[in-house]
PDB file of all heavy atoms in Angstrom:
ATOM      1  N   LEU B  24     112.161  76.157 111.319  1.00  0.00           N
ATOM      2  CA  LEU B  24     111.092  75.179 111.203  1.00  0.00           C
ATOM      3  C   LEU B  24     110.092  75.299 112.347  1.00  0.00           C
ATOM      4  O   LEU B  24     108.918  74.989 112.192  1.00  0.00           O
ATOM      5  CB  LEU B  24     111.700  73.771 111.200  1.00  0.00           C
ATOM      6  CG  LEU B  24     110.776  72.674 110.705  1.00  0.00           C
ATOM      7  CD1 LEU B  24     110.496  72.878 109.236  1.00  0.00           C
ATOM      8  CD2 LEU B  24     111.398  71.319 110.938  1.00  0.00           C
ATOM      9  N   SER B  25     110.552  75.776 113.506  1.00  0.00           N
ATOM     10  CA  SER B  25     109.642  75.849 114.655  1.00  0.00           C
ATOM     11  C   SER B  25     108.550  76.882 114.458  1.00  0.00           C
ATOM     12  O   SER B  25     107.543  76.860 115.155  1.00  0.00           O
ATOM     13  CB  SER B  25     110.430  76.169 115.919  1.00  0.00           C
ATOM     14  OG  SER B  25     111.322  77.232 115.662  1.00  0.00           O
ATOM     15  N   THR B  26     108.734  77.810 113.504  1.00  0.00           N
ATOM     16  CA  THR B  26     107.688  78.818 113.311  1.00  0.00           C
ATOM     17  C   THR B  26     106.800  78.492 112.126  1.00  0.00           C
ATOM     18  O   THR B  26     105.926  79.275 111.778  1.00  0.00           O
ATOM     19  CB  THR B  26     108.308  80.193 113.037  1.00  0.00           C
ATOM     20  OG1 THR B  26     109.122  80.087 111.884  1.00  0.00           O
ATOM     21  CG2 THR B  26     109.144  80.655 114.205  1.00  0.00           C
ATOM     22  N   LEU B  27     107.030  77.352 111.461  1.00  0.00           N
ATOM     23  CA  LEU B  27     106.282  77.057 110.243  1.00  0.00           C
ATOM     24  C   LEU B  27     105.174  76.044 110.481  1.00  0.00           C
ATOM     25  O   LEU B  27     105.211  75.283 111.445  1.00  0.00           O
ATOM     26  CB  LEU B  27     107.229  76.502 109.171  1.00  0.00           C
ATOM     27  CG  LEU B  27     108.300  77.459 108.698  1.00  0.00           C
ATOM     28  CD1 LEU B  27     109.192  76.760 107.711  1.00  0.00           C
ATOM     29  CD2 LEU B  27     107.684  78.686 108.056  1.00  0.00           C
ATOM     30  N   TYR B  28     104.226  76.068 109.573  1.00  0.00           N
ATOM     31  CA  TYR B  28     103.147  75.097 109.602  1.00  0.00           C
ATOM     32  C   TYR B  28     103.223  74.239 108.349  1.00  0.00           C
ATOM     33  O   TYR B  28     103.816  74.640 107.357  1.00  0.00           O
ATOM     34  CB  TYR B  28     101.795  75.813 109.634  1.00  0.00           C
ATOM     35  CG  TYR B  28     101.568  76.553 110.919  1.00  0.00           C
ATOM     36  CD1 TYR B  28     102.055  77.839 111.086  1.00  0.00           C
ATOM     37  CD2 TYR B  28     100.897  75.959 111.978  1.00  0.00           C
ATOM     38  CE1 TYR B  28     101.878  78.508 112.256  1.00  0.00           C
ATOM     39  CE2 TYR B  28     100.709  76.634 113.151  1.00  0.00           C
ATOM     40  CZ  TYR B  28     101.203  77.900 113.300  1.00  0.00           C
ATOM     41  OH  TYR B  28     101.034  78.577 114.468  1.00  0.00           O
ATOM     42  N   PHE B  29     102.631  73.059 108.401  1.00  0.00           N
ATOM     43  CA  PHE B  29     102.691  72.154 107.274  1.00  0.00           C
ATOM     44  C   PHE B  29     101.276  71.786 106.873  1.00  0.00           C
ATOM     45  O   PHE B  29     100.541  71.195 107.664  1.00  0.00           O
ATOM     46  CB  PHE B  29     103.492  70.902 107.667  1.00  0.00           C
ATOM     47  CG  PHE B  29     103.631  69.911 106.562  1.00  0.00           C
ATOM     48  CD1 PHE B  29     104.449  70.179 105.480  1.00  0.00           C
ATOM     49  CD2 PHE B  29     102.927  68.722 106.584  1.00  0.00           C
ATOM     50  CE1 PHE B  29     104.582  69.285 104.450  1.00  0.00           C
ATOM     51  CE2 PHE B  29     103.050  67.816 105.558  1.00  0.00           C
ATOM     52  CZ  PHE B  29     103.885  68.099 104.484  1.00  0.00           C
ATOM     53  N   CYS B  30     100.883  72.142 105.663  1.00  0.00           N
ATOM     54  CA  CYS B  30      99.543  71.797 105.214  1.00  0.00           C
ATOM     55  C   CYS B  30      99.622  70.412 104.600  1.00  0.00           C
ATOM     56  O   CYS B  30     100.240  70.226 103.549  1.00  0.00           O
ATOM     57  CB  CYS B  30      99.065  72.808 104.176  1.00  0.00           C
ATOM     58  SG  CYS B  30      97.434  72.441 103.554  1.00  0.00           S
ATOM     59  N   ARG B  31      98.998  69.413 105.221  1.00  0.00           N
ATOM     60  CA  ARG B  31      99.196  68.063 104.697  1.00  0.00           C
ATOM     61  C   ARG B  31      98.247  67.745 103.568  1.00  0.00           C
ATOM     62  O   ARG B  31      98.305  66.680 102.997  1.00  0.00           O
ATOM     63  CB  ARG B  31      99.061  67.039 105.816  1.00  0.00           C
ATOM     64  CG  ARG B  31      97.751  67.052 106.493  1.00  0.00           C
ATOM     65  CD  ARG B  31      97.766  66.036 107.594  1.00  0.00           C
ATOM     66  NE  ARG B  31      96.448  65.956 108.189  1.00  0.00           N
ATOM     67  CZ  ARG B  31      96.178  65.261 109.261  1.00  0.00           C
ATOM     68  NH1 ARG B  31      97.135  64.578 109.855  1.00  0.00           N
ATOM     69  NH2 ARG B  31      94.963  65.235 109.737  1.00  0.00           N
ATOM     70  N   TYR B  32      97.367  68.687 103.221  1.00  0.00           N
ATOM     71  CA  TYR B  32      96.526  68.490 102.058  1.00  0.00           C
ATOM     72  C   TYR B  32      97.230  68.998 100.811  1.00  0.00           C
ATOM     73  O   TYR B  32      97.107  68.444  99.741  1.00  0.00           O
ATOM     74  CB  TYR B  32      95.193  69.199 102.251  1.00  0.00           C
ATOM     75  CG  TYR B  32      94.512  68.761 103.511  1.00  0.00           C
ATOM     76  CD1 TYR B  32      94.709  69.445 104.701  1.00  0.00           C
ATOM     77  CD2 TYR B  32      93.695  67.637 103.525  1.00  0.00           C
ATOM     78  CE1 TYR B  32      94.111  69.020 105.865  1.00  0.00           C
ATOM     79  CE2 TYR B  32      93.094  67.219 104.684  1.00  0.00           C
ATOM     80  CZ  TYR B  32      93.307  67.910 105.859  1.00  0.00           C
ATOM     81  OH  TYR B  32      92.721  67.498 107.012  1.00  0.00           O
ATOM     82  N   CYS B  33      97.963  70.094 100.963  1.00  0.00           N
ATOM     83  CA  CYS B  33      98.777  70.597  99.858  1.00  0.00           C
ATOM     84  C   CYS B  33     100.183  70.001  99.899  1.00  0.00           C
ATOM     85  O   CYS B  33     100.948  70.189  98.964  1.00  0.00           O
ATOM     86  CB  CYS B  33      98.961  72.105  99.918  1.00  0.00           C
ATOM     87  SG  CYS B  33      97.513  73.062 100.177  1.00  0.00           S
ATOM     88  N   SER B  34     100.539  69.337 100.986  1.00  0.00           N
ATOM     89  CA  SER B  34     101.882  68.784 101.182  1.00  0.00           C
ATOM     90  C   SER B  34     102.937  69.853 101.017  1.00  0.00           C
ATOM     91  O   SER B  34     103.892  69.708 100.264  1.00  0.00           O
ATOM     92  CB  SER B  34     102.164  67.640 100.195  1.00  0.00           C
ATOM     93  OG  SER B  34     101.322  66.576 100.437  1.00  0.00           O
ATOM     94  N   ASP B  35     102.744  70.955 101.710  1.00  0.00           N
ATOM     95  CA  ASP B  35     103.687  72.055 101.534  1.00  0.00           C
ATOM     96  C   ASP B  35     103.835  72.810 102.845  1.00  0.00           C
ATOM     97  O   ASP B  35     102.913  72.835 103.664  1.00  0.00           O
ATOM     98  CB  ASP B  35     103.159  72.988 100.440  1.00  0.00           C
ATOM     99  CG  ASP B  35     104.292  73.706  99.749  1.00  0.00           C
ATOM    100  OD1 ASP B  35     105.455  73.469 100.129  1.00  0.00           O
ATOM    101  OD2 ASP B  35     104.017  74.493  98.851  1.00  0.00           O
ATOM    102  N   LEU B  36     104.990  73.469 102.993  1.00  0.00           N
ATOM    103  CA  LEU B  36     105.209  74.269 104.190  1.00  0.00           C
ATOM    104  C   LEU B  36     104.470  75.600 104.057  1.00  0.00           C
ATOM    105  O   LEU B  36     104.349  76.150 102.970  1.00  0.00           O
ATOM    106  CB  LEU B  36     106.705  74.575 104.351  1.00  0.00           C
ATOM    107  CG  LEU B  36     107.597  73.469 104.876  1.00  0.00           C
ATOM    108  CD1 LEU B  36     109.039  73.917 104.793  1.00  0.00           C
ATOM    109  CD2 LEU B  36     107.254  73.115 106.293  1.00  0.00           C
ATOM    110  N   ARG B  37     103.996  76.100 105.190  1.00  0.00           N
ATOM    111  CA  ARG B  37     103.352  77.406 105.186  1.00  0.00           C
ATOM    112  C   ARG B  37     103.925  78.232 106.328  1.00  0.00           C
ATOM    113  O   ARG B  37     104.147  77.725 107.412  1.00  0.00           O
ATOM    114  CB  ARG B  37     101.851  77.264 105.429  1.00  0.00           C
ATOM    115  CG  ARG B  37     101.112  76.489 104.380  1.00  0.00           C
ATOM    116  CD  ARG B  37     100.543  77.390 103.325  1.00  0.00           C
ATOM    117  NE  ARG B  37      99.960  76.588 102.276  1.00  0.00           N
ATOM    118  CZ  ARG B  37     100.554  76.352 101.116  1.00  0.00           C
ATOM    119  NH1 ARG B  37     101.719  76.867 100.848  1.00  0.00           N
ATOM    120  NH2 ARG B  37      99.961  75.607 100.212  1.00  0.00           N
ATOM    121  N   SER B  38     104.102  79.516 106.085  1.00  0.00           N
ATOM    122  CA  SER B  38     104.560  80.370 107.180  1.00  0.00           C
ATOM    123  C   SER B  38     103.400  81.258 107.614  1.00  0.00           C
ATOM    124  O   SER B  38     102.344  81.278 106.994  1.00  0.00           O
ATOM    125  CB  SER B  38     105.728  81.230 106.730  1.00  0.00           C
ATOM    126  OG  SER B  38     105.260  82.365 106.077  1.00  0.00           O
ATOM    127  N   LEU B  39     103.627  82.026 108.674  1.00  0.00           N
ATOM    128  CA  LEU B  39     102.539  82.852 109.205  1.00  0.00           C
ATOM    129  C   LEU B  39     102.042  83.876 108.208  1.00  0.00           C
ATOM    130  O   LEU B  39     100.929  84.356 108.298  1.00  0.00           O
ATOM    131  CB  LEU B  39     103.016  83.588 110.459  1.00  0.00           C
ATOM    132  CG  LEU B  39     102.893  82.804 111.753  1.00  0.00           C
ATOM    133  CD1 LEU B  39     103.432  83.628 112.891  1.00  0.00           C
ATOM    134  CD2 LEU B  39     101.460  82.426 112.011  1.00  0.00           C
ATOM    135  N   GLU B  40     102.895  84.230 107.231  1.00  0.00           N
ATOM    136  CA  GLU B  40     102.477  85.264 106.289  1.00  0.00           C
ATOM    137  C   GLU B  40     101.623  84.720 105.173  1.00  0.00           C
ATOM    138  O   GLU B  40     100.916  85.462 104.520  1.00  0.00           O
ATOM    139  CB  GLU B  40     103.704  85.927 105.683  1.00  0.00           C
ATOM    140  CG  GLU B  40     104.546  86.542 106.729  1.00  0.00           C
ATOM    141  CD  GLU B  40     105.468  87.588 106.142  1.00  0.00           C
ATOM    142  OE1 GLU B  40     105.489  87.723 104.903  1.00  0.00           O
ATOM    143  OE2 GLU B  40     106.147  88.231 106.918  1.00  0.00           O
ATOM    144  N   CYS B  41     101.696  83.411 104.913  1.00  0.00           N
ATOM    145  CA  CYS B  41     100.894  82.916 103.800  1.00  0.00           C
ATOM    146  C   CYS B  41      99.702  82.092 104.278  1.00  0.00           C
ATOM    147  O   CYS B  41      99.161  81.293 103.531  1.00  0.00           O
ATOM    148  CB  CYS B  41     101.712  82.111 102.805  1.00  0.00           C
ATOM    149  SG  CYS B  41     103.029  81.181 103.503  1.00  0.00           S
ATOM    150  N   VAL B  42      99.310  82.299 105.519  1.00  0.00           N
ATOM    151  CA  VAL B  42      98.062  81.699 105.966  1.00  0.00           C
ATOM    152  C   VAL B  42      97.144  82.839 106.350  1.00  0.00           C
ATOM    153  O   VAL B  42      97.592  83.944 106.634  1.00  0.00           O
ATOM    154  CB  VAL B  42      98.257  80.779 107.193  1.00  0.00           C
ATOM    155  CG1 VAL B  42      99.119  79.613 106.835  1.00  0.00           C
ATOM    156  CG2 VAL B  42      98.847  81.535 108.342  1.00  0.00           C
ATOM    157  N   SER B  43      95.842  82.576 106.371  1.00  0.00           N
ATOM    158  CA  SER B  43      94.927  83.632 106.783  1.00  0.00           C
ATOM    159  C   SER B  43      94.556  83.414 108.239  1.00  0.00           C
ATOM    160  O   SER B  43      94.274  82.293 108.668  1.00  0.00           O
ATOM    161  CB  SER B  43      93.679  83.646 105.898  1.00  0.00           C
ATOM    162  OG  SER B  43      92.928  82.491 106.064  1.00  0.00           O
ATOM    163  N   HIS B  44      94.589  84.508 108.979  1.00  0.00           N
ATOM    164  CA  HIS B  44      94.306  84.443 110.405  1.00  0.00           C
ATOM    165  C   HIS B  44      92.840  84.730 110.634  1.00  0.00           C
ATOM    166  O   HIS B  44      92.267  85.591 109.976  1.00  0.00           O
ATOM    167  CB  HIS B  44      95.123  85.499 111.143  1.00  0.00           C
ATOM    168  CG  HIS B  44      96.595  85.362 110.934  1.00  0.00           C
ATOM    169  ND1 HIS B  44      97.470  85.110 111.943  1.00  0.00           N
ATOM    170  CD2 HIS B  44      97.351  85.453 109.820  1.00  0.00           C
ATOM    171  CE1 HIS B  44      98.692  85.058 111.472  1.00  0.00           C
ATOM    172  NE2 HIS B  44      98.658  85.266 110.190  1.00  0.00           N
ATOM    173  N   GLU B  45      92.244  84.035 111.571  1.00  0.00           N
ATOM    174  CA  GLU B  45      90.840  84.278 111.878  1.00  0.00           C
ATOM    175  C   GLU B  45      90.651  84.325 113.372  1.00  0.00           C
ATOM    176  O   GLU B  45      91.362  83.664 114.121  1.00  0.00           O
ATOM    177  CB  GLU B  45      89.979  83.142 111.327  1.00  0.00           C
ATOM    178  CG  GLU B  45      89.860  83.172 109.844  1.00  0.00           C
ATOM    179  CD  GLU B  45      89.274  81.886 109.318  1.00  0.00           C
ATOM    180  OE1 GLU B  45      88.916  81.016 110.116  1.00  0.00           O
ATOM    181  OE2 GLU B  45      89.195  81.787 108.096  1.00  0.00           O
ATOM    182  N   VAL B  46      89.666  85.080 113.770  1.00  0.00           N
ATOM    183  CA  VAL B  46      89.347  85.151 115.191  1.00  0.00           C
ATOM    184  C   VAL B  46      88.558  83.911 115.565  1.00  0.00           C
ATOM    185  O   VAL B  46      87.550  83.596 114.949  1.00  0.00           O
ATOM    186  CB  VAL B  46      88.511  86.421 115.450  1.00  0.00           C
ATOM    187  CG1 VAL B  46      87.969  86.407 116.835  1.00  0.00           C
ATOM    188  CG2 VAL B  46      89.357  87.644 115.228  1.00  0.00           C
ATOM    189  N   ASP B  47      89.028  83.196 116.579  1.00  0.00           N
ATOM    190  CA  ASP B  47      88.352  81.952 116.927  1.00  0.00           C
ATOM    191  C   ASP B  47      87.394  82.130 118.098  1.00  0.00           C
ATOM    192  O   ASP B  47      86.238  81.787 118.011  1.00  0.00           O
ATOM    193  CB  ASP B  47      89.408  80.903 117.282  1.00  0.00           C
ATOM    194  CG  ASP B  47      88.847  79.513 117.251  1.00  0.00           C
ATOM    195  OD1 ASP B  47      88.370  79.115 116.166  1.00  0.00           O
ATOM    196  OD2 ASP B  47      88.844  78.839 118.276  1.00  0.00           O
ATOM    197  N   SER B  48      87.891  82.636 119.208  1.00  0.00           N
ATOM    198  CA  SER B  48      87.015  82.824 120.373  1.00  0.00           C
ATOM    199  C   SER B  48      87.540  83.980 121.209  1.00  0.00           C
ATOM    200  O   SER B  48      88.719  84.303 121.159  1.00  0.00           O
ATOM    201  CB  SER B  48      86.966  81.558 121.222  1.00  0.00           C
ATOM    202  OG  SER B  48      88.255  81.216 121.639  1.00  0.00           O
ATOM    203  N   HIS B  49      86.645  84.589 121.969  1.00  0.00           N
ATOM    204  CA  HIS B  49      87.030  85.709 122.827  1.00  0.00           C
ATOM    205  C   HIS B  49      87.085  85.251 124.267  1.00  0.00           C
ATOM    206  O   HIS B  49      86.286  84.409 124.684  1.00  0.00           O
ATOM    207  CB  HIS B  49      85.984  86.825 122.737  1.00  0.00           C
ATOM    208  CG  HIS B  49      85.752  87.338 121.356  1.00  0.00           C
ATOM    209  ND1 HIS B  49      86.375  88.428 120.850  1.00  0.00           N
ATOM    210  CD2 HIS B  49      84.938  86.888 120.376  1.00  0.00           C
ATOM    211  CE1 HIS B  49      85.965  88.642 119.621  1.00  0.00           C
ATOM    212  NE2 HIS B  49      85.097  87.729 119.300  1.00  0.00           N
ATOM    213  N   TYR B  50      87.976  85.838 125.042  1.00  0.00           N
ATOM    214  CA  TYR B  50      87.997  85.520 126.480  1.00  0.00           C
ATOM    215  C   TYR B  50      88.585  86.698 127.222  1.00  0.00           C
ATOM    216  O   TYR B  50      89.304  87.517 126.650  1.00  0.00           O
ATOM    217  CB  TYR B  50      88.799  84.241 126.758  1.00  0.00           C
ATOM    218  CG  TYR B  50      90.278  84.379 126.488  1.00  0.00           C
ATOM    219  CD1 TYR B  50      91.170  84.656 127.513  1.00  0.00           C
ATOM    220  CD2 TYR B  50      90.791  84.224 125.207  1.00  0.00           C
ATOM    221  CE1 TYR B  50      92.516  84.802 127.267  1.00  0.00           C
ATOM    222  CE2 TYR B  50      92.130  84.349 124.953  1.00  0.00           C
ATOM    223  CZ  TYR B  50      92.984  84.637 125.988  1.00  0.00           C
ATOM    224  OH  TYR B  50      94.323  84.775 125.735  1.00  0.00           O
TER     225      TYR B  50
END
Side-chain angles (χ1 to χ4, degrees):
Chain B
L24 196 67
S25 47
T26 59
L27 296 177
Y28 292 85
F29 181 71
C30 179
R31 59 182 185 187
Y32 305 92
C33 312
S34 295
D35 208 0
L36 283 173
R37 298 267 174 259
S38 83
L39 274 178
E40 300 200 354
C41 33
V42 296
S43 66
H44 302 242
E45 288 167 3
V46 170
D47 197 60
S48 58
H49 303 265
Y50 67 97

